[in-house]
Amino acid sequence: MSRRGPRRKTTDTLPALPPHGLRVVPLGGLGEIGRNMTVFEHAGRLLIVDCGVLFPDEHQPGVDVIIPDFTWLKDRLDRIDAIVLTHGHEDHIGGVPYLLRERPDIPVVGSRLTLAFLEAKLVEHRIKPRTVVVAEGDRRKLGPFDCEFVAVNHSIPDGLAVAIRTAAGMVLHTGDFKMDQFPLDGRVTDLRAFARLGEEGVDLFLVDSTNAEVPGFTVSEGELAPAIDTVFRTTKGRVIVSSFASHVHRIQQILDSAQQHGRKVAFVGRSMVRNMGIARELGYLTIPDGLVVKDLKALDRLRPDQIAIIATGSQGEPMAALARMANRDHPVSITEGDTVLMASSLIPGNENAIYRVINELTRWGANVVHKGNAKVHVSGHASAGELAYCFNIIKPTNVLPVHGEWRHLRANADIAIRTGIDPERVLIAQDGSVIDLVDGRARITGSVPAGLVYVDNMTVGGATEESLHVRRTLAEEGVVTIVCIVDPDTGALVEDPEYLAHGFPPEATDFSSATPAIQKALTKASNDRIEDLEQLEELVRRAASSAVHRAHRRSPLIIPVIVDA
Amino acid sequence: MSRRGPRRKTTDTLPALPPHGLRVVPLGGLGEIGRNMTVFEHAGRLLIVDCGVLFPDEHQPGVDVIIPDFTWLKDRLDRIDAIVLTHGHEDHIGGVPYLLRERPDIPVVGSRLTLAFLEAKLVEHRIKPRTVVVAEGDRRKLGPFDCEFVAVNHSIPDGLAVAIRTAAGMVLHTGDFKMDQFPLDGRVTDLRAFARLGEEGVDLFLVDSTNAEVPGFTVSEGELAPAIDTVFRTTKGRVIVSSFASHVHRIQQILDSAQQHGRKVAFVGRSMVRNMGIARELGYLTIPDGLVVKDLKALDRLRPDQIAIIATGSQGEPMAALARMANRDHPVSITEGDTVLMASSLIPGNENAIYRVINELTRWGANVVHKGNAKVHVSGHASAGELAYCFNIIKPTNVLPVHGEWRHLRANADIAIRTGIDPERVLIAQDGSVIDLVDGRARITGSVPAGLVYVDNMTVGGATEESLHVRRTLAEEGVVTIVCIVDPDTGALVEDPEYLAHGFPPEATDFSSATPAIQKALTKASNDRIEDLEQLEELVRRAASSAVHRAHRRSPLIIPVIVDA
C-alpha cells in the first residue's frame, strides 16, 4: 500500500481530448491493493467503474477506511452517466456512499447480488441509490458508453467484467476475476465472450494484477472440500468457522459439510447474518430446511458434535466475533475439543492480529485449522498462468494492468509482453495517471490529484498526512505539556514550569533540566520585545525539546502552555 | 507474540525442590518467537541456556527490544554458574548485555562464532565478558551441571545443542536447529549423538517448535543455488542482495555465485560488514582474493554487470541499507536494470515494511527477486517430519516444546504424542512456568514472574504496559490539552478554557461544547470544597471527555491544566 517513491506530479492543465478519443483516469487501485476506481471520459461525458475503499495500515492509526480522491470529479459530477460495479467487495463498492454524498442520483449499475450488498451498506448511510440491475450478456447504453457485461468468476458470486464501446474503440475491464474451471455455481469466466471481443478488437485491456506475481494456476474452490470435510468428520466438539462474510461459495461448502455430518449451523456476526440472508433470498446460497438455526440459544440443547458456528473475524479484527471468542468476550466460549476452521486468506499486514487470535484460541484448547496447516483457502484472483491465457485469447492492442501494488502491475505487464504485446503499448500507470486512447494508441498524457483521503468515523478527510504524522510521533515518543506561568510585564517565569508527561515510563518524570533553557529563551524573548504568543510557544518548544532529548533520549510532542501570572 | 489469554498466576511460594531434583524455568521463548531463555536449578546452583531479545510489534510503539524478566534471578545472581549460548542469533544472545549488567562476571559458554558475535555486540555496551569457548563433542562441568555439546545445523554456523547431566537425570536442549542433510559446511545435526544420548536415556527433551506446524521436511540450503545462479547469470545490471547479516552460508552462496560470474562484491551495512569480517577471520566464510572490495567507491570503475552489493535490510527495516536505497537516501541509487535479490525469510509482522521496500525498488525500475516469486530462501528450523525423526531417535521420557507461540508448542506436542510419548509427559508450558524433574517425572509445579520487559534507548523498563496503552491511545485518538484559568477564591473559570488539540484533523478545532460541562464540574467542585488539584483535574477530564466524544466521536487523551488566575 506504499504511496511513496517516484511520482508524476499533477499536471495543472491536461491536454485537450480529441472528440473521438477516450480518456481513462484510474483514481484508485494502481499502486495499492484496494479503493479500486476508474473514470472513463468520452464526448464530454463520464463513466465510473467501481468505487472502493482501502484499509489503513499500522502507519495510519485511527483511520477507518481510505477512499479515492474525488477532487478531479468535483466540478464534473453532473457529467457522470453511471457508476458500474463489477462485484460486491468493499474494495470495489465501499467508496460509493461517499461519492453519492456528492451527487445522490448517479445511476448505479451492477449485478443483482452486487447491488443488494451495496443497498444493505447504503442503509447505514441513509442513502437510497438509483440502481440498474444487469446480468452477463446484457448490453446497455450509458450515455455515450455502450457497455456489455461478461460473466467472471471470483471469490464472491455474480462478478462482471465490462466491455465499453465508444467511438474511440473498445475497452475491456476485467474487474477482479479468476478462471476456476469448476466453480460451485457452474458460472465460469466467459472466455468465449473474451475471445469474441478479442476478435472484434480490444483496444485497451484493463486487467486484474493481484496475483500476477504468483506462478502457475489458482486451484479450484472445490478442491477445499476434502480439508473442510475432514474437519467436520473428525471433530468431536463444536466446529467454529470463520470466513469472509461475502464469500458465499465458501460458506455454501461449509453448510453442505455441516448438513452431511449432522450439525446445525448458527451464523454469528452482523455482516455474516446480513449477507447470508441476502444471498439466500436471491438464490445464491442454498440452505436445506432446518439446517440453520435462528440464534446461538437454539444450539443449547444440542451436543457439541451437532453444532457448527459460522462467524466473522477471519482477519483477526479485534471487534469481530472470532477475536472476541478468543478473548472470552463472547457468548460462544471456546473449550477443549472445539475446532476452529479459518477458511480464508491471510491478508498481508493482518498476520500479527490473526496469529494473536489463533494463539488465544489454541490456549483455550481449541484445535485451529488454517491456511498455514491445511488446504482451506484458495485465492480469488487469476495467477500468472491464467493471465497469459487471457492475453493470448484477447490479444489487446494496449494493456493497462490494474488492481495491484507496483510490483504486481510490473509482473502483469511482463506477462503481457511475454505473450507478444508491444512493450510500448503496455502501460504501467498509477493512481491519478491520465491515459488517452486516441486512434487506437493509448498514452499517458498527464495526471490529476489522487492522494489518500482518510475517513474517520464516517467523516471524510477525518485525518491528514500531517495529523497522522503527529499521531505516530505521539505513539513513538509520547507527549510533554509544559505549563509556563510568566510575569505579564517582564515575560519571565514567575515559578518553575510544570511538566506533564504522557506515554513516558513512570520513572521518567524529571524534566527540570529543561527549565534553565526555557527561562533563558523567555528572557531573551522579552528583551527582543517578542510578545506574539505563538512565537513565544515556538521558542519554548525549541528550548525544551533539546533538553528533553538530552535527558530522556526521546523527541516527544511538546505542548507549551504560557499563562500570564 | 501474544501475551494474553489464560495465564497461570504467579505462585508466591514455590514448592521446595528435593536435592536430587532439577528445576527448569523458561523465562522466554514459550508463547512467543524470541527472547529465548531457560534457567536450570539443581543443588542450589543455576545454569542459564540462552538469553535473547524479542522484537516489538505494532502494539509496542517506541520500544527497541523486549527482554526476559530477570526478577526471579535478582536475589540468585551469585548462584549462576554459567550462561550457555546455543548460537549467535539475537533472539538467543541479545539479552546477555542486560543480564551481565546485573552481574558482569558470569561465565559465558558457547562456540567460537557465537562468542565472537556476542563480544562484537558487547563492545557497544562497553562490557568485556568472561568467555569459555566450547565445540561439539566437548564436555564441561559447570558447577553441578555436567554439559555435553552436540553439533546442530541452523541458519547460522556453529550451532550447538546441549545435554545437561545432573543427579536428576539428563536434559537435552536442542536450541534452534534443522536437519539439512547436505549443509554447505558439511556439519550436519549430529543424530548419532542424539541416538547415543537417547540410549543413555533423555529424561527431559527441550525441542525447537518454530516449524512444528509446517508439514514435511525443510529443504536443503544448497537447493537455493539454481535460483541464485540464475540471478547472477541473467542480470545485465548490478545485483544487489539483501540477507540476514548472520546468515554466513547464504552469503557464502552469494559470494560463490558472484565469483563465478565475474562480479566484484561490496558489503554494505554496519552489521553485515562486521559479521562477515568476523566470519572470515574465524574461517567460517571463504572469500577468494580480490573478490570483495573495500567500499562502494571501489566499484565506480566497474560496469554494472561486474558489480554485486550485499546489504542489510532484508526485513524492510527503515534505517537499514536496502530501505534507504529504495527511498533514494543512499549512495547506491537503484536504476533500471538492477536486480535486487532478497535472499531471506519474511518474518510475520514485517510484511508491510518489506512489500513497501519491494514496491519502491520496483518503481525505480529494479527487478526484485524474493521468496514470493523465486526459491531464494529456506527456513532454519526443522519441520514436522524432522521433529518426528528426533522424537523417534531420542525417545525422551518427558518433553517440553520450546521456542514458539502457543500454536507452535501445541503442534510440536502433538508430534511427540503421535510418536508414542505418554501425553501425560508432554508438557505445554509458558514463560515463567516452573517445571520440576523429580524421579524421572517432569511436572509443572508453579510459576515465577515472566512479563515483557521493554528496552527503550538501552534503558531497561523504558516502557510499561500502561505507558504503551497511553501511546496507543495517543496514536488512535490524539490528545487535547485543556487550559483552565480559575478564580483562586471561587474556583470558577475566569474565562473560557483554551483547547489545544494534536493528532486531530485541521478542521476539528472547536471544542467549546465542552466548556459548559467543565464550568459546571468546577462550580460543583468548589461547592463541595474540593481543592485537591488531582481531583479537580480528574473532574475536568471526565466532564470534557464525554463532550469531546459527542462532538468529534473520538476519545483522545485529555490533559487538564488548571491555573489560578
Side-chain angles (χ1 to χ4, degrees), chain B residues 10 52 57 97 124 149 155 166 262 270 298 323 364 406 409 435 448 460 465 499 503 516 527 531 537 564:
Chain B
T10 307
D57 68 21
E124 298 164 23
F149 300 93
S155 47
T166 65
R270 204 167 47 87
W364 295 114
W406 199 272
L409 304 178
I435 299 108
V448 303
V460 177
E465 291 304 339
Y499 300 90
N527 297 343
E531 289 176 351
E537 286 174 349
D564 286 342

Side-chain angles (χ1 to χ4, degrees), chain A residues 152-155 176-181 188-189 208 218-221 247 250 378-383 386:
Chain A
V152 292
N153 168 256
H154 185 40
S155 47
D176 285 354
F177 81 112
K178 62 176 169 174
M179 307 208 316
D180 189 341
Q181 295 304 297
V188 294
T189 293
D208 178 9
T218 305
V219 301
S220 181
E221 175 73 22
H247 205 321
R250 189 70 46 87
V378 295
S379 169
H381 301 270
S383 303
E386 285 126 344

Side-chain angles (χ1 to χ4, degrees), chain A residues 2 359-360 405 456 554, chain B residues 2 360 405 456 471 554:
Chain A
S2 170
N359 282 313
E360 297 322 306
E405 298 173 10
D456 211 339
R554 299 185 143 278
Chain B
S2 168
E360 298 321 307
E405 299 173 8
D456 211 339
R471 291 185 198 174
R554 299 185 145 277

Side-chain angles (χ1 to χ4, degrees), chain A residues 315 344-351 354-355 370-372 377, chain B residues 351:
Chain A
Q315 293 306 302
S344 59
S345 66
L346 200 155
I347 295 173
N350 297 350
E351 291 82 2
I354 292 171
Y355 287 134
H370 56 90
K371 177 166 189 284
H377 176 70
Chain B
E351 290 81 2

Side-chain angles (χ1 to χ4, degrees), chain A residues 2 4-5 57-59 62 352 356 359-360 363 405-407 456-457 461-462 471 475-476 503 505 553-554, chain B residues 2 4-5 57-59 62 352 356 359-360 363 405-407 456-457 462 471 475-476 503 505 553-554:
Chain A
S2 170
R4 301 162 306 146
D57 68 21
E58 72 276 15
H59 290 82
N352 287 352
R356 225 172 267 128
N359 282 313
E360 297 322 306
R363 284 193 190 210
E405 298 173 10
W406 198 271
R407 64 198 169 101
D456 211 339
N457 311 313
R471 290 186 199 174
E476 296 286 331
R553 289 222 211 70
R554 299 185 143 278
Chain B
S2 168
R4 300 164 307 147
D57 68 21
E58 72 276 13
H59 291 82
N352 287 350
R356 224 173 267 128
N359 282 313
E360 298 321 307
R363 284 194 189 206
E405 299 173 8
W406 199 272
R407 64 200 169 100
D456 211 339
N457 311 315
R471 291 185 198 174
E476 295 286 331
R553 291 223 209 70
R554 299 185 145 277

